Amino acid sequence: MTRFEFPVTENPRPASAKAQLRRELLAARRALSPETCRTAATALAVTALELPELADARTVAAYVSVGTEPGTRALLDALRAAGKRVLLPLLLPDNDLDWAAYEGPGGLAEAAHPGKMRLLEPTGPALGPDAVTAADAVLLPGLAVDARGMRLGRGGGSYDRVLERLERAGADPALVVLLYDDEVVARVPEEPHDHPVQAVATPSGVVRFTASA
């Protein structure tokens, strides 16, 4: 499997370095076959549920995967079946996120966002952007996580706002990223606003991080 790493230089330019790495990672995802994605999604649901942060959580903020992202649909249903309250995002015009409860596959509908990717969103009442602060665990989309727990997102900024909102509220949920196996890398470029995560779940297992990693 391909391992994605970005060299650390004396004068790094994190923004441009991130953009280059994102292009490589997204190209690798686009090359995945539907069967590979389905198999990975099934395995990912099993490994993610092994995390005590999810097993013990009462409320989990999650998301509906799109395209060739690591699939979350099986995991969402497993969390709900286990009695968890699952919150899913609603994309706002300014790229911030509102939240609504997941009520099962029948409670999802395609949302029309001109110029945005086609997303499935919950159809229940919006709970407000601050609803995420009640979550015991937050599942974050991403493209890679490195050995320090630093996450590389898609660059839209939606989850940077979520993390800032959690920090302002003094909330401290477990932060978990869902990835393919080869997206756990040695190092990704980082910027001052980036937050480390506690764990990453992949189809083959879980990688945990500590503050000193």
Side-chain angles (χ1 to χ4, degrees):
M1 293 184 292
T2 302
R3 302 297 298 185
F4 291 93
E5 300 180 14
F6 209 90
V8 180
T9 64
E10 291 299 320
N11 297 294
R13 299 174 58 190
S16 60
K18 282 183 174 182
Q20 180 178 332
L21 187 52
R22 283 189 186 106
R23 286 192 293 270
E24 296 173 3
L25 290 160
L26 287 168
R29 283 188 177 180
R30 286 193 295 270
L32 296 173
S33 70
E35 180 59 31
T36 295
C37 292
R38 284 192 295 268
T39 300
T42 300
L44 183 60
V46 174
T47 58
L49 288 171
E50 293 174 354
L51 279 164
E53 291 91 343
L54 293 187
D56 298 338
R58 292 166 297 177
T59 298
V60 178
Y63 61 96
V64 183
S65 55
V66 296
T68 55
E69 280 187 321
T72 64
R73 298 288 289 273
L75 176 57
L76 296 179
D77 291 333
L79 288 168
R80 188 165 176 264
K84 315 295 183 186
R85 180 175 182 244
V86 179
L87 302 179
L88 295 179
L90 301 160
L91 184 64
L92 298 174
D94 64 353
N95 269 6
D96 204 350
L97 298 179
D98 203 333
W99 299 86
Y102 177 53
E103 301 295 346
L108 296 175
E110 188 172 306
H113 297 288
K116 305 291 184 184
M117 68 182 75
R118 297 172 67 180
L119 303 173
L120 285 177
E121 294 183 341
T123 56
L127 303 174
D130 287 338
V132 69
T133 63
D136 303 299
V138 178
L139 301 182
L140 302 170
L143 293 173
V145 170
D146 71 15
R148 305 163 299 160
M150 301 306 296
R151 163 184 163 269
L152 177 69
R154 282 181 171 266
S158 296
Y159 279 88
D160 289 332
R161 298 189 191 191
V162 169
L163 295 172
E164 290 168 2
R165 183 168 285 116
L166 293 170
E167 188 172 14
R168 287 198 306 270
D172 189 29
L175 303 178
V176 180
V177 183
L178 307 177
L179 296 175
Y180 292 109
D181 294 325
D182 57 3
E183 293 172 344
V184 181
V185 303
R187 195 173 184 90
V188 299
E190 67 177 287
E191 296 178 83
H193 63 266
D194 290 332
H195 292 69
V197 301
Q198 281 75 53
V200 90
T202 75
S204 66
V206 168
V207 180
R208 308 187 69 88
F209 307 100
T210 64
S212 61

